[in-house]
Amino acid sequence: MPKKKAPRKPKLAVWKFASCDGCQLSLLDCEDELLAIADAIDIAYFPEATRAVVRGPYDVSLVEGSITTSHDAERIHKIRRASKHLVTIGACATAGGIQALRNFQNVNEFISLVYAQPQYIETLKVSTPISYHVFVDYELHGCPINKVQLVEVLNAFLNNRRPVIPSHSVCVECKRQGTVCVMVAHGTPCLGPVTHAGCGALCPAYNRGCYGCYGPNDSPNTTSLADRFEHLGLDHAGIARSFRTFNANAAAFRHESEAHEHNI
Amino acid sequence: MEASAQQEEKPVAVEGGLRTGMINATEMQRLIDVLRKEGYQVLGPLLRDGAIVYDEVEAAGDLPAGWMDEQEGGVYHLKRRDDDALFGFAVGPHSWKRYLFPPMRRLWQAERKGKGKFRVIPEEETPQRRAFLGVRACELAAIAIQDRIFMQGPYVDPVYAARRQNTVIVAVNCGHAAATCFCASMDTGPQVRQGFDLALTEIVDAERHVFLVETGTETGAALLAKLEARPATNDDLAEARRIVERTAESMQRSLDTTDVHDLLLGNLDHPRWDEVADRCLACTNCTMVCPTCFCSTVEDLTDLSGKTAERVQLWDSCFSMQYSYIHGGSVRMSGMARYRQWLTHKLASWIDQFGTSGCVGCGRCITWCPVGIDLTEEVRAIRATAPPAPALEDESEY
Ligand code: SF4
Ligand code: SF4
Ligand code: SF4
């Protein structure tokens, strides 16, 4: 009787664009799960972890980072063509990242200020998320992403089901944990009510307001929250700044910061 | 033999135990000790992160002696009292719901057993005996509402029921109402009426710091019998009643419940819903802090190899978009639809469903709403500007 061939393991690739590597490292940080992951998937391209390269096509591509150069804008199309599923991970890939702060200014001014030899720098005027360029099957938010959620997304794609990643506010996590609301009890401005859950309401648990690392939630009423911030003593510059961090270019946060910038 | 030995242990041999008694504030430690010795985990108020929350209390010293709260829409502050009252504050961000209907609970696990077969491993819960210390009248009313939700009818939540059975309730009559409290208008407080084992009224003035203790059950009477108590005089009782009356009179907020069912359901297109939705963050805080809100979701998780799975139950809220998700999208996309769903359920369709209002007037949703949305104000606004409501048809026709 002919021996049955072992079923082919799904192939995973991890790609990097403009980013800090923090999200990819979340995958390496999955110590407990890493063996199971390696068992279930063929990690075919992951320069951060291995030199071995397996050519595409890939079943799942994880993409970290934003598009900031014309070369990258082409490269992402090649990756899309070589990938069955493309999942973007982190604030850079899903919203443009902290480097999207350039989108609000003239990038040439930054370049001449930052680099000694600006003539060697070639960059786009704006930093954009991957979804501006190619179709994305799933976006996993966070700066950095939560490793448990990353495993859940991989798991869901491996098992052909929807990832269980709630898109409600951070407040839900805060209240389930029993954390005392820093905005109500301390008057600390907190982005939790408009921010996508996922971090486990880490900052409020340490008496800090939420910084919005996971970007806007599924129905962010940023205008009402900004009114509250004003009531708590923030001026327009302060409000604009609070919405302008890792997810500055995410539509809801961008619109809110721009609305206040014009009032400064 | 055993029964008589037990009887001998009791220092006061009144049949059925003492019904009322006076104890010094220092007896609070003995009460906690007695409960702990009988295997109860004592949960009560304590100071944490700038608020009075509920958690395990090991000694009377853990209680927030001399502290009170100041509350307004979206604002909560602690303030020093000019006495050492142990319960001189109103309700805080936590409610007892977190112990009877916990925010997260595993329902079961499953294990793959060969091809196409799996074994379900039910979650075993050994109920922990718990004593709730400092339960307010509005909270007793809220527990009674959740009792109906989880234990009445053909589908009883066995875990809730077991937890409930293993709970002893030491209630407290309120000597102070926050500006957000409106239990008097909801007819749930501030005087506790039923659903307690023991009920305390704190009397603290220049001369004395004592508690009137009233018993509601035999368990409560047995507890009182273990405390160093003296009989309560008529003066003691009168003073305790006066304290609660003063609290009721000092209450600043109210909700006019006259015909509120028809008022809200007859004004589903009132422009006020849009106005409140402009402010509402759909953040869910109001529902999470509400002691009667009972919605939950389940999450199914699998391990990477697909060998094991588990189902977890979590608090959910009608303010979240995913809550009303059915194939193709969410039913309540707008913040307006979600706020309206919440308020009409809480104050109107809840009556159709459970025969009582879903609101006990604790005011938590007002205080802990980050933008201070106040349901009493919303109802007032709708009432003030509603066109005369056409009488609603009988519910059976819905
Ligand atoms: S601390 Fe922030 S995230 Fe937590 S409940 Fe308050 S507003 Fe929401
Ligand atoms: S609706 Fe508000 S006031 Fe009424 S019981 Fe719930 S939290 Fe308390
Ligand atoms: S009413 Fe307040 S607490 Fe409730 S969802 Fe709206 S903003 Fe959040």
Side-chain angles (χ1 to χ4, degrees):
Chain A
M1 216 162 93
K3 239 172 120 190
K4 251 218 199 133
K5 243 173 88 184
R8 186 184 69 88
K9 282 203 258 180
K11 272 202 282 187
L12 174 86
V14 187
W15 310 94
K16 176 182 159 60
F17 288 80
S19 59
C20 75
D21 281 24
C23 289
Q24 295 189 51
L25 289 176
S26 308
L27 188 56
L28 288 181
D29 197 25
C30 298
E31 289 129 7
D32 298 340
E33 301 86 357
L34 208 54
L35 284 179
I37 294 174
D39 220 32
I41 0 184
D42 188 358
I43 301 181
Y45 183 77
F46 189 6
E48 191 73 55
T50 161
R51 281 168 196 280
V53 175
V54 180
R55 295 175 64 88
Y58 304 100
D59 294 281
V60 180
S61 274
L62 294 178
V63 180
E64 174 198 89
S66 70
I67 304 294
T68 54
T69 66
S70 47
H71 170 250
D72 278 354
E74 280 169 32
R75 186 161 65 104
I76 189 63
H77 282 279
K78 288 188 194 139
I79 292 171
R80 175 71 264 192
R81 277 197 295 276
S83 313
K84 195 162 144 205
H85 297 297
L86 190 151
V87 176
T88 53
I89 57 172
C92 299
T94 59
I98 192 91
Q99 59 275 25
L101 287 176
R102 70 167 72 173
N103 301 12
F104 301 91
Q105 307 287 338
N106 181 344
V107 72
N108 291 324
E109 283 173 22
F110 282 136
I111 294 175
S112 56
L113 275 174
V114 173
Y115 297 98
Q117 304 280 336
Q119 65 272 27
Y120 294 120
I121 304 297
E122 203 190 294
T123 187
L124 296 172
K125 284 202 183 72
V126 288
S127 165
T128 45
I130 302 300
S131 61
Y132 278 28
H133 302 268
V134 296
F135 176 77
V136 172
D137 293 279
Y138 193 81
E139 290 190 316
L140 182 63
H141 298 273
C143 186
I145 52 166
N146 171 337
K147 65 174 186 177
V148 178
Q149 290 198 328
L150 178 61
V151 173
E152 166 58 18
V153 170
L154 287 175
N155 195 341
F157 275 92
L158 289 177
N159 290 305
N160 284 316
R161 61 171 174 84
R162 256 171 92 100
V164 181
I165 308 280
S167 57
H168 53 55
S169 69
V170 173
C171 301
V172 177
E173 300 184 309
C174 232
K175 284 293 182 286
R176 282 183 191 150
Q177 274 159 208
T179 301
V180 173
C181 176
V182 301
M183 194 139 64
V184 170
H186 314 160
T188 306
C190 176
L191 283 175
V194 297
T195 299
H196 196 294
C199 63
L202 201 56
C203 289
Y206 290 91
N207 285 324
R208 310 291 295 260
C210 164
Y211 293 98
C213 306
Y214 280 60
N217 64 18
D218 56 23
S219 41
N221 186 348
T222 53
T223 312
S224 173
L225 186 63
D227 280 353
R228 191 65 184 178
F229 282 7
E230 208 177 326
H231 184 87
L232 294 175
L234 284 194
D235 58 9
H236 284 297
I239 296 171
R241 226 179 357 259
S242 63
F243 283 100
R244 206 167 272 185
T245 57
F246 323 103
N247 289 283
N249 191 52
F253 287 6
R254 186 179 65 227
H255 293 149
E256 200 53 46
S257 75
E258 281 171 346
H260 293 274
E261 188 178 44
H262 299 143
N263 281 323
I264 291 169
Chain B
M1 263 290 278
E2 254 180 59
S4 69
Q6 256 178 22
Q7 261 166 22
E8 269 166 25
E9 250 178 48
K10 284 187 190 171
V12 188
V14 180
E15 210 187 344
L18 276 180
R19 299 331 296 192
T20 60
M22 295 299 288
I23 59 167
N24 282 331
T26 46
E27 278 297 288
M28 196 52 64
Q29 184 60 54
R30 197 190 309 262
L31 176 59
I32 294 169
D33 288 343
V34 166
L35 286 165
R36 285 167 65 85
K37 230 178 38 233
E38 290 184 7
Y40 291 99
Q41 179 193 33
V42 181
L43 298 162
L46 41 86
L47 289 178
R48 182 187 299 155
D49 295 327
I52 294 167
V53 299
Y54 295 149
D55 207 335
E56 181 160 8
V57 168
E58 291 179 356
D62 294 342
L63 300 172
W67 286 96
M68 65 183 287
D69 47 37
E70 281 185 323
Q71 306 192 36
E72 252 316 320
V75 182
Y76 180 100
H77 282 305
L78 288 178
K79 214 177 90 175
R80 265 276 176 214
R81 294 175 59 90
D82 45 24
D83 58 30
D84 286 329
L86 297 178
F87 299 96
F89 45 86
V91 294
H94 288 181
S95 75
W96 303 103
K97 148 173 123 172
R98 67 181 312 107
Y99 298 103
L100 295 171
F101 166 54
M104 184 174 161
R105 164 157 83 91
R106 184 160 63 196
L107 299 178
W108 47 259
Q109 291 171 277
E111 208 177 60
R112 200 185 282 286
K113 286 262 165 236
K115 232 186 158 176
K117 286 197 200 110
F118 62 91
R119 184 171 73 97
V120 172
I121 310 160
E123 197 66 12
E124 303 285 351
E125 219 196 47
T126 359
Q128 155 84 50
R129 297 179 98 188
R130 287 194 168 119
F132 295 172
L133 176 59
V135 183
R136 308 306 174 120
C138 62
E139 300 185 302
L140 287 175
I143 292 172
I145 289 175
Q146 288 214 326
D147 285 353
R148 287 187 176 210
I149 295 165
F150 291 119
M151 301 198 300
Q152 216 173 53
Y155 305 106
V156 172
D157 180 332
V159 176
Y160 180 92
R163 285 179 177 231
R164 193 66 183 82
Q165 254 158 32
N166 282 280
T167 303
V168 155
I169 291 183
V170 182
V172 168
N173 280 308
C174 288
H176 149 83
T180 40
C181 293
F182 58 102
C183 63
S185 64
M186 299 310 290
D187 198 24
T188 57
Q191 172 74 50
V192 305
R193 282 175 230 144
Q194 58 200 19
F196 56 87
D197 295 291
L198 284 181
L200 313 174
T201 312
E202 185 165 27
I203 302 173
V204 53
D205 53 33
E207 279 98 58
R208 55 185 191 161
H209 188 182
V210 294
F211 286 93
L212 165 71
V213 188
E214 293 165 278
T215 62
T217 60
E218 291 311 318
T219 311
L223 282 169
L224 175 56
K226 297 208 170 90
L227 304 180
E228 208 165 273
R230 66 165 174 81
T233 63
N234 284 341
D235 284 352
D236 291 329
L237 289 171
E239 181 164 6
R241 293 292 175 265
R242 252 200 318 278
I243 288 172
V244 190
E245 270 160 33
R246 267 206 306 274
T247 307
E249 282 158 19
S250 73
M251 220 165 276
Q252 297 166 37
R253 265 184 173 75
S254 66
L255 195 152
D256 178 2
T257 54
T258 325
D259 287 337
V260 71
H261 175 276
D262 291 4
L263 174 76
L264 295 183
L265 295 179
N267 283 285
L268 295 178
D269 294 317
H270 196 285
R272 183 72 186 194
W273 299 118
D274 288 313
E275 288 162 36
V276 68
D278 281 347
R279 294 171 60 212
C280 177
L281 304 164
C283 61
T284 79
N285 278 304
C286 48
T287 52
M288 297 278 146
V289 294
C290 180
T292 69
C293 275
F294 59 91
C295 285
S296 64
T297 183
V298 289
E299 287 182 357
D300 290 343
L301 304 164
T302 51
D303 75 336
L304 271 170
S305 64
K307 283 195 191 98
T308 62
E310 62 177 24
R311 174 166 289 183
V312 181
Q313 181 187 46
L314 295 144
W315 282 358
D316 201 1
S317 166
C318 52
F319 279 95
S320 100
M321 176 101 91
Q322 285 169 323
Y323 177 83
S324 67
Y325 183 90
I326 52 170
H327 180 76
S330 288
V331 175
R332 289 185 281 272
M333 296 290 282
S334 69
M336 186 284 265
R338 285 179 253 162
Y339 187 86
R340 187 179 60 186
Q341 159 63 27
W342 178 66
L343 199 66
T344 54
H345 186 214
K346 185 104 316 200
L347 298 177
S349 42
W350 202 294
I351 302 173
D352 303 331
Q353 204 179 356
F354 302 111
T356 117
S357 173
C359 176
V360 298
C362 73
R364 284 185 180 86
C365 57
I366 305 172
T367 300
W368 299 98
C369 170
V371 293
I373 292 173
D374 173 353
L375 77 168
T376 67
E377 205 178 300
E378 296 312 308
V379 171
R380 200 168 301 121
I382 289 178
R383 194 183 288 286
T385 50
L392 280 187
E393 298 296 312
D394 180 58
E395 273 101 54
S396 57
E397 297 191 11
Y398 277 81

